[in-house]
Amino acid sequence: MRRVLVREELCIGCGLCRVHCEAHHAGGDDLVKALKDRSAPPVGGVRIEQRGIQCLSVRCQHCDDAPCVDACLTGALYRDETNGLVLVDQEKCIGCGTCSLVCPFGAIRKDELTGKAVKCDGCTDREIPRCVSVCPNGALVVVEEEEESLVVAEAASGNRYP
């Protein structure tokens, strides 16, 4: 399974990852066309946390134990067997918000237009997730699960990773 990791030291809080994710979830990669006719603000799977000069791009971590999957009343949240990602079946989602209450990262939000849960889907329809492809500083990187512990260990030791 691939994961998006944040290189905190490179994140400048520009919000491009959030805006492009919202456009992608709203219907396309062309920002103007995707957002033009919406009657409610779009929601994507990314939010930006900022405290002073420190910034962090936050998204679903597709937890191994995934409390949102366990809490979902209708089974709309599930783990995809092919890629290991936690996804939302929009047809089953009733918009109750239980999943967002139990998410330890606050990574699940409600789309005001549809009333349904929206979260990071890992851009399974793309080779590289949209947020990663638009990050101007390279603060977002894609790693495979097998590489993740090595990348995190290198970052903790002060080494830069790709």
Side-chain angles (χ1 to χ4, degrees), residues 22-90:
E22 289 170 350
H24 183 72
H25 277 76
D29 290 342
D30 183 314
L31 290 176
V32 175
K33 288 180 183 175
L35 305 177
K36 182 179 176 189
D37 295 323
R38 283 194 54 104
S39 59
V43 177
V46 177
R47 77 172 197 283
I48 305 297
E49 288 288 325
Q50 191 165 0
R51 299 232 196 292
I53 61 169
Q54 294 178 324
C55 305
L56 184 64
S57 176
V58 181
R59 78 204 71 258
C60 176
Q61 298 299 302
H62 305 281
C63 305
D64 292 333
D65 61 352
C68 59
V69 172
D70 294 335
C72 184
L73 302 173
T74 63
L77 270 90
Y78 66 98
R79 182 169 310 278
D80 186 297
E81 297 298 324
T82 59
N83 58 30
L85 299 175
V86 175
L87 302 175
V88 180
D89 181 337
Q90 293 294 315

Side-chain angles (χ1 to χ4, degrees), residues 7-10 137-138 150-151 153-162:
R7 298 169 68 180
E8 296 174 39
E9 73 279 6
L10 296 178
N137 260 20
L150 175 64
V151 169
E154 286 180 14
S157 68
N159 295 334
R160 296 206 162 214
Y161 48 94

